[in-house]
Amino acid sequence: MTAPPAPRRDLAAEPEVARLCDAVKSAAAEGRVLLPRGGATRDGALGPFSGEPLALAAYAGIVRHTPTELVVTARAGTPLLELVETLAAAGQRLPFEPPLPAREATLGGAVALGTSGPARAYRAALRDALLGVTLIDGTGTVCRFGGEVMKNVAGFDVSRLMAGSYGELGAMLEISLRLEPLPEWSQTQALACTLPEALARMPALAARAGALSGLAWLDGWLLARFEGSAVEVELDAKAAGGETLLPEDAATRWARLREGPLSAKGDGALWCLSMPNDAPALELPDANWALDWGGARRWVRSTADPGAVAAMLAPHGGHGLRLSPSVVRTPQPAALRALEQRVRQAMDPSGVFAHGATPGEGP
Ligand SMILES: Cc1cc2nc3c(=O)[nH]c(=O)nc-3n(C[C@H](O)[C@H](O)[C@H](O)COP(=O)(O)OP(=O)(O)OC[C@H]3O[C@@H](n4cnc5c(N)ncnc54)[C@H](O)[C@@H]3O)c2cc1C
């Protein structure tokens, strides 16, 4: 039986939302810059910011969870962990397996950073799970994009732009997401091999396994995770070969891949690279690697400078984000940069949210 449609709610009439809208309007009028802020778990990594904090963590709570429809709407300040635990109690989960760095981390922060875990390549990216977003734009107006159910998302969906917007397109108030059921069974196969051997084996594993939900290389092991019905998982795991990890061991390794598998401390810089998964093994000085998403996400710690990383990625069409010692991204193509500017202009004409938290470009 389908749930009745959610009644339309006028968020602008809520006193807390009206206060936030007024704060944005007066900042726009006075030429001040605001930084939407959730749990502020990223401040240490990026700061200092140029804007005054616009606190959204108190605007929290699950507004509507309809298990039969596999959808949830929650306020942006809802702690991500609380949402994940509530969904798990109902036998459901977020399909994009977000990092869960600290109890204070919020849903709004996760969407603004656009971060997805190992399941991204085989289930859904955070962006693809977004059904709708209600936000305050740079004029202080409450805008609603997309919807709260799966059927009504058609055409170009502005809500998806909020994934990875770093709080520079507006302050999110409510977020609607599609969900998936928790799998009946999960099993991880591990095969000892080198990085080039892992890259050579990954395409065949990805092509034949319907239950695949993670394909990585960590500490000299190729890891293939299968999730679904026990029968399907057993078939795919058997075909993959290797040894079966104990559930706790597997959970620890996938949690590392989800949160960032290489330590932020140590010599050189820590990078997260996105590239076509069929790109070959890449060479960087003094490099320590970990692979995720079947080779499409590559974590590396290396003494190479940002220019060398950008030059290495260029032939493959990839891009990189340096996470430490400070946050830098490899240069964007000019066309993409121009498009980004036009979107910013449309959503925030006076630059209220131009606080510069988006990672700056390297040389
Ligand atoms: C480069 C990088 C470094 C990281 N470093 C750390 C770290 O050192 N420690 C750690 O625990 N985790 C870290 N993380 C993970 C991150 O903290 C989590 O993904 C978390 O979910 C962010 O939630 P938050 O509420 O703390 O966001 P915040 O830190 O409050 O904000 C993060 C970004 O999201 C925007 N934002 C937040 N809420 C909203 C909203 N409602 N509307 C619009 N924009 C919003 C902010 O403007 C900011 O740009 C890092 C992630 C990245 C990409």
Side-chain angles (χ1 to χ4, degrees):
M1 201 174 82
T2 43
R8 281 270 161 188
R9 285 166 293 108
D10 180 13
L11 296 198
E14 293 180 15
E16 173 63 1
V17 175
R19 190 189 66 73
L20 290 165
C21 289
D22 286 345
V24 174
K25 280 177 192 155
S26 54
E30 294 159 20
R32 286 182 287 115
V33 173
L34 298 176
L35 170 75
R37 180 176 260 175
T41 58
R42 212 197 55 161
D43 275 19
L46 260 196
F49 304 113
S50 59
E52 296 164 35
L54 182 71
L56 289 145
Y59 195 68
I62 296 174
V63 176
R64 188 176 162 91
H65 175 207
T66 318
T68 49
E69 303 279 316
L70 287 165
V71 291
V72 69
T73 296
R75 290 181 173 151
T78 308
L80 196 53
L81 209 54
E82 184 186 309
L83 178 61
V84 166
E85 286 168 356
T86 303
L87 297 176
Q92 298 186 344
R93 67 180 180 183
L94 300 167
F96 47 91
E97 200 178 3
L100 302 167
R103 280 216 86 86
E104 312 83 61
T106 64
L107 173 62
V111 172
L113 294 175
T115 39
S116 304
R120 181 214 189 277
Y122 310 99
R123 294 287 182 262
L126 182 148
R127 185 186 52 234
D128 303 326
L130 272 178
L131 296 172
V133 169
T134 306
L135 57 84
I136 303 174
D137 73 4
T139 68
T141 308
V142 174
C143 309
R144 187 188 171 96
F145 300 105
E148 291 185 35
V149 293
M150 262 181 260
K151 298 158 221 138
N152 63 357
V153 182
F156 181 68
D157 189 359
V158 176
S159 61
R160 294 185 179 190
L161 286 175
M162 301 312 288
S165 61
Y166 282 76
E168 295 215 280
L169 296 181
M172 282 179 274
L173 295 171
E174 271 190 13
I175 295 160
S176 299
L177 295 158
R178 79 173 167 82
L179 307 172
E180 64 177 22
L182 285 172
E184 183 191 329
W185 195 250
S186 175
Q187 186 169 318
T188 296
Q189 299 301 113
L191 296 85
C193 66
T194 64
L195 184 150
E197 285 167 354
L199 280 172
R201 281 172 179 246
M202 282 173 168
L205 280 165
R208 85 161 294 285
L212 190 69
S213 74
L215 189 55
W217 182 80
L218 183 64
D219 301 336
W221 291 91
L222 172 58
L223 303 173
R225 182 180 61 187
F226 303 98
E227 294 181 316
S229 72
V231 175
E232 191 186 16
V233 167
E234 199 183 326
L235 272 176
D236 281 349
K238 199 168 167 195
E243 58 184 87
T244 305
L245 296 184
L246 290 172
E248 306 77 41
D249 184 11
T252 304
R253 296 192 206 202
W254 290 110
R256 256 184 78 196
L257 284 154
R258 191 185 68 210
E259 305 298 330
L262 303 179
S263 166
K265 300 192 181 77
D267 290 340
L270 176 64
W271 287 86
C272 181
L273 313 176
S274 297
M275 65 183 71
N277 58 355
D278 58 0
L282 304 174
E283 298 290 334
L284 280 180
D286 312 314
N288 179 18
W289 292 90
L291 309 182
D292 201 354
W293 302 350
R297 173 154 78 174
R298 304 189 189 185
W299 299 87
V300 62
R301 169 171 282 293
S302 165
T303 51
D305 62 43
V309 174
M312 177 198 68
L313 285 172
H316 308 289
H319 60 270
L321 183 65
R322 192 179 77 180
L323 295 154
S324 81
S326 59
V327 179
V328 167
R329 71 177 173 202
T330 53
Q332 284 181 305
L336 194 57
R337 209 163 37 229
L339 183 63
E340 190 179 302
Q341 280 311 326
R342 294 215 312 272
V343 172
R344 283 174 194 239
Q345 181 61 30
M347 298 194 65
D348 182 19
S350 52
V352 177
F353 295 115
H355 47 68
T358 309
E361 295 191 354

